[in-house]
Amino acid sequence: MTPSPVGQETVRVDGRLKVTGTAQYSGDYPAANMSHAYLVTSTIARGTVSHIDTAAALDAPGVLRVYTAGDTRLSLYPVVAQFRSLVESYIPLSDTAVRFHGQAIAMVVAESFEQARDAAALVTVTYDEQTPRASFADEPREPAGPALDGSPSSVQHLAPGVNSIDEALDASEVVVEAEYGQQTQHQIGMEPHSVLAVWDGDQVTVYSGAQIPTVHSLLLSQRLGVLPTQVRLVGRYVGGGFGSRVILWSDAPLAAAAARELGRPVKLTFTREQMFTLVGHRQQASQHVRLGASRGGVLEAISHRTDSVMPVIGGFNLTPAHATSDTFYSTPNLHIEVRSVRLDMPLSRAMRAPNEAAGAFALETAMDELAVATGVDPVELRLRNYATVSPSTGLPWSSKHLDECYRDGARRFGWSDRSATPRARVDGQWLYGTGMATAAYPAGVHPVSVRIRLLDDDTAVVSTATSDLGTGGWTMVAVVGADALGIPVGRVTPEIGDSALPSGAPAVGSSATHSTVPVVVAAARNTIAALKELAVTHSGSPWHGLNAEGLRWEEGRLHGGEHSMTFGELLTELGSRGVDATADSPGGAPEEYEYNSFGAHFCEVRVNRFTGETRVTRFTTVADAGRVINARAARSQIVGGVVFGIGHALLEHNPIEPATGRLAASTLADYLVPVNADIPDIDVHLLDRPDPHLTGPLGDEGEEVGTRSLGARGLGEIGTVGSAAAVGNAVFNATGTRIRRLPITPDKLL
């Protein structure tokens, strides 16, 4: 019997291609007669372009075109209102308005990248400059728009007889109140955004990384003013997204429009510095948290107010409390409020665990402060406030084993050896401390379509236009397809990352896996049924004329009567190259539950008492993310998320210059991210408990169909949620100094 690959240590099916350099990323695709584009960006944050001198650039060697702000040759158009949240709020190079420092205001196209770059440096620009709105402290606060799920920005639930959250807090025996802050953060995937646009008549193929390929191709068709059927987007390998490739930015429209006008392929690659201003960021925020509790640490009230930047040109509405304070703990009184500060900054967008990472730092630091104030152990404090239903909706969780995460994590980490007294453990120059925090992340289910084709060489092709950002999507599709068909993974070829394929799950919100799994199972069921139908209707089949229900599928073979054949043998016998079928899901899950993944982080740090240098020395994460599809990739995703959290805690920030509106650390020399030397071995344990309410297709009699992989939930982002707080809480335990504004740098500890 072929063992199920689900939950095993499956090597990535695309691994060899990547490590040998064979995998083609967006910037690797060739094209005959290809030209290269380079952007000129603004050096002011607010105003208009009064004049652009392009004469020297046009005279430079190899230059083919210089497109400038207000240029009509590109012929770009607005998208319909339904999709405006998935594009920039203005059409690139359509007018002379400057909305932020680093905006594209001209584009040079030349025979080579170097010629385009050098010519771009010859473009000179004169501005009518205005003073930018660039001070977070000085601009007014205004009510924010709705959260990502459409819920209002302000939410309040009060116990009977309680008139206000202030009244609930005043009645609490212990109150913790503090302000928590963070600066602008960036996704900065390893692969810069790169686009190659190739026209063939009125059809354009765009090679570009995208987290939602089918939506990107649709949006691009609207920007170009052509039919959706005229645009194909290919992005099979993507070097990181983290939210930066969710919406359609200026790169694909500009490259495709220039290629159309020029009559030859155009490649446009953002520089690393341009990546900091042209593809989104997580905005600066300040969070005011108040916790009211009994002396025994039982929560009686949570108030969580956020002030965050909303760029004047629009962007992602940061709502950190909505997925943390209304999710993590049970409380009879809850108040959430979100306000915006309007600044002249680049468009903000989702960044890995967009609301949850920021919100968890504030809430979980406040919970650690409550543990200190009440004298209750931080793990015990969380167990005393364990939420068995959603605090805001009152609905039960579809599956929750967070208490097990706490206990397993504490045991694996050695939490019982911890001293609650700061500065209790000293080794020479180093102060050691430990901290922990909770993680939770929603598990949304998106519409998906999957096609499976069985071929006459006994292999199968599983096709769906999801995207693999380096997260393991290729292997996930292969593993689930192999499990559903009962054949080895090596006999399954996944096809993803192409808008021409059946519409796939968005690679956003840690949702691609659990949205895709049940539809692959359904497609396998339909394809097997199609093969059986072929077997009983084709005159050359040994089962011709029989009832298809009398045939049995097992491990890639059809059995019936005295005959048994693999699907490849049958197809060869019938002279057929293959048989296929599709399955579709509208998305969504039963509305009587709330769907989340959960986890617990445990961290040890050492802090140099003379220099303030902080090093993470141990880290343990236990996660409850439903059924694990690929154990190797799952652990890798958790590790990557924790690395994000460590960077969030100790290194990452990009302050805005109030006088100029410039993001001051927009290079990898100035914007620091963790490297190998900053990260210890990270211990990851996955509970592997299937979610019974995220099951997928069932048979006519209610039985599971064809797989043991049902009940998967997302885990790509949960490692990021709470890990920064675990680091910060460990720093407090080591030093006795509470740092409430990230990052935790040496100057704040001295």
Side-chain angles (χ1 to χ4, degrees):
M1 181 176 180
T2 302
S4 170
V6 170
Q8 303 303 311
E9 300 276 344
T10 304
V11 175
R12 292 186 183 228
V13 299
D14 54 327
R16 179 173 290 276
L17 294 175
K18 289 183 173 179
V19 300
T20 59
T22 307
Q24 286 183 303
Y25 290 80
S26 300
D28 297 330
Y29 284 95
N33 199 31
M34 182 168 62
S35 58
H36 296 262
Y38 193 96
L39 294 182
V40 177
T41 56
S42 66
T43 56
I44 68 168
R46 184 184 182 192
T48 57
V49 174
S50 57
H51 180 67
I52 298 182
D53 188 343
T54 63
L58 286 167
D59 287 341
V63 171
L64 303 169
R65 294 282 194 281
V66 179
Y67 302 98
T68 60
D71 201 315
T72 60
R73 291 175 293 175
L74 294 174
S75 300
L76 294 174
Y77 302 91
V79 304
V80 298
Q82 177 185 356
F83 296 113
R84 284 179 188 161
S85 64
L86 293 172
V87 296
E88 292 170 294
S89 57
Y90 63 97
I91 301 173
L93 297 189
S94 64
D95 57 37
T96 59
V98 177
R99 302 161 176 86
F100 58 88
H101 196 292
Q103 175 186 320
I105 56 173
M107 179 172 65
V108 178
V109 183
E111 296 287 354
S112 72
F113 170 80
E114 291 79 10
Q115 289 172 332
R117 178 197 61 199
D118 294 348
L122 301 176
V123 175
T124 59
V125 185
T126 305
Y127 302 97
D128 180 8
E129 186 174 3
Q130 296 176 273
T131 302
R133 291 155 289 193
S135 172
F136 184 81
D138 296 335
E139 294 298 325
R141 274 61 175 152
E142 58 187 58
L148 189 61
D149 63 1
S151 60
S153 58
S154 295
V155 177
Q156 181 164 277
H157 302 283
L158 299 174
V162 177
N163 297 312
S164 69
I165 193 68
D166 291 332
E167 180 182 307
L169 288 161
D170 289 343
S172 300
E173 294 176 319
V174 179
V175 175
V176 166
E177 180 175 2
E179 196 90 13
Y180 305 92
Q182 65 179 44
Q183 291 279 357
T184 300
Q185 295 174 292
H186 300 271
Q187 302 96 337
I188 49 173
M190 184 179 294
E191 177 198 13
H193 285 225
S194 185
V195 172
L196 170 63
V198 182
W199 287 86
D200 182 6
D202 63 355
Q203 306 285 317
V204 63
T205 300
V206 175
Y207 301 90
S208 174
Q211 293 183 235
I212 322 175
T214 50
V215 172
H216 270 232
S217 64
L218 175 63
L219 296 171
L220 183 56
S221 73
Q222 295 188 21
R223 273 284 192 245
L224 295 171
V226 301
L227 295 173
T229 54
Q230 294 174 256
V231 178
R232 178 186 179 191
L233 185 138
V234 178
R236 295 188 178 94
Y237 301 97
V238 184
F242 313 117
S244 71
R245 302 179 196 268
V246 172
I247 78 166
L248 183 73
W249 297 102
S250 60
D251 48 356
L254 289 176
R260 177 173 59 184
E261 195 274 330
L262 193 58
R264 59 188 288 188
V266 171
K267 178 178 288 186
L268 171 61
T269 302
F270 287 167
T271 67
R272 182 58 71 183
E273 188 170 3
Q274 289 168 353
M275 290 282 290
F276 283 86
T277 61
L278 294 177
V279 298
H281 61 274
R282 178 154 46 213
Q283 56 266 57
Q284 182 179 355
S286 180
Q287 301 178 69
H288 184 229
V289 178
R290 294 180 293 167
L291 303 180
S294 68
R295 289 190 178 88
V298 176
L299 285 168
E300 295 167 352
I302 298 176
S303 173
H304 191 160
R305 188 189 70 213
T306 303
D307 295 330
S308 64
V309 173
M310 173 57 77
V312 172
I313 62 168
F316 184 85
N317 185 26
L318 193 68
T319 55
H322 283 68
T324 53
S325 288
D326 71 346
T327 300
F328 283 22
Y329 305 112
S330 176
T331 179
N333 300 287
L334 173 68
H335 177 80
I336 293 170
E337 183 181 359
V338 182
R339 303 185 302 185
S340 293
V341 180
R342 308 284 284 186
L343 299 182
D344 293 305
M345 288 189 67
L347 199 75
S348 61
R349 288 309 303 172
M351 178 178 166
R352 195 176 200 177
N355 297 305
E356 295 78 6
F361 169 71
L363 177 62
E364 290 303 281
T365 305
M367 284 293 286
D368 199 67
E369 297 197 49
L370 181 62
V372 172
T374 59
V376 179
D377 177 82
V379 174
E380 176 61 27
L381 179 71
R382 286 159 174 83
L383 289 169
R384 291 183 186 182
N385 294 285
Y386 197 77
T388 56
V389 299
S390 167
S392 58
T393 68
L395 293 175
W397 308 109
S398 61
S399 177
K400 183 178 183 180
H401 303 282
L402 177 57
D403 52 348
E404 193 173 338
C405 294
Y406 290 139
R407 295 186 177 101
D408 278 8
R411 177 183 53 79
R412 294 173 71 93
F413 184 77
W415 183 259
S416 60
D417 295 333
R418 172 185 186 266
S419 172
T421 303
R423 304 179 72 94
R425 184 179 166 201
V426 183
D427 184 3
Q429 300 182 39
W430 298 95
L431 305 171
Y432 281 78
T434 54
M436 60 84 57
T438 299
Y441 194 83
V445 182
H446 296 282
V448 175
S449 181
V450 174
R451 180 178 64 242
I452 293 182
R453 183 168 176 80
L454 302 176
L455 300 177
D456 59 359
D457 61 357
D458 275 323
T459 65
V461 180
V462 183
S463 306
T464 184
T466 190
S467 182
D468 187 340
L469 312 173
T471 50
W474 284 97
T475 309
M476 177 270 291
V477 170
V479 165
V480 178
D483 183 63
L485 295 169
I487 62 178
V489 173
R491 286 168 51 193
V492 176
T493 300
E495 284 187 332
I496 65 172
D498 187 334
S499 66
L501 299 173
S503 180
V508 300
S510 300
S511 60
T513 294
H514 64 259
S515 297
T516 302
V517 165
V519 190
V520 173
V521 176
R525 178 187 60 191
N526 295 344
T527 306
I528 293 168
L531 182 72
K532 290 179 179 179
E533 186 65 21
L534 178 65
V536 299
T537 57
H538 195 290
S539 60
S541 167
W543 295 290
H544 178 249
L546 299 181
N547 190 327
E549 294 181 0
L551 302 184
R552 178 169 52 89
W553 171 278
E554 185 176 320
E555 297 185 353
R557 299 183 71 91
L558 276 185
H559 302 270
E562 299 177 354
H563 300 283
S564 175
M565 303 175 74
T566 69
F567 64 84
E569 290 169 344
L570 176 62
L571 292 169
T572 300
E573 182 79 13
L574 304 183
S576 174
R577 180 70 180 99
V579 62
D580 63 77
T582 61
D584 304 281
S585 169
E591 296 181 355
E592 59 265 33
Y593 298 99
E594 293 284 353
Y595 301 87
N596 268 267
S597 289
F598 300 94
H601 301 293
F602 295 82
C603 175
E604 178 189 77
V605 301
R606 57 174 180 161
V607 181
N608 191 295
R609 54 181 174 166
F610 301 121
T611 68
E613 176 188 355
T614 299
R615 291 286 179 184
V616 177
T617 52
R618 289 192 298 130
F619 209 106
T620 292
T621 296
V622 178
D624 170 28
R627 186 63 185 268
V628 174
I629 301 301
N630 181 358
R632 179 176 297 194
R635 279 201 311 275
S636 177
Q637 281 296 285
I638 297 292
V639 167
V642 170
V643 171
F644 253 68
I646 292 172
H648 185 185
L650 300 179
L651 297 169
E652 297 182 49
H653 70 298
N654 195 354
I656 187 171
E657 292 180 342
T660 66
R662 182 179 75 97
L663 286 167
S666 295
T667 72
L668 285 181
D670 301 303
Y671 185 86
L672 303 181
V673 296
V675 297
N676 285 349
D678 299 312
I679 305 299
D681 287 338
I682 297 172
D683 173 37
V684 174
H685 178 63
L686 298 157
L687 296 186
D688 197 16
R689 299 289 187 85
D691 189 318
H693 301 288
L694 288 176
T695 54
L698 301 177
D700 294 337
E701 298 181 4
E703 76 279 10
E704 283 190 356
V705 176
T707 186
R708 293 183 291 152
S709 61
L710 305 179
R713 287 200 306 265
L715 51 71
E717 291 165 276
I718 195 169
T720 307
V721 182
S723 43
V727 174
N729 294 338
V731 169
F732 171 78
N733 184 247
T735 65
T737 301
R738 181 71 70 181
I739 306 299
R740 301 185 179 94
R741 295 194 173 274
L742 297 179
I744 302 170
T745 48
D747 57 297
K748 297 174 183 176
L749 292 169
L750 295 178

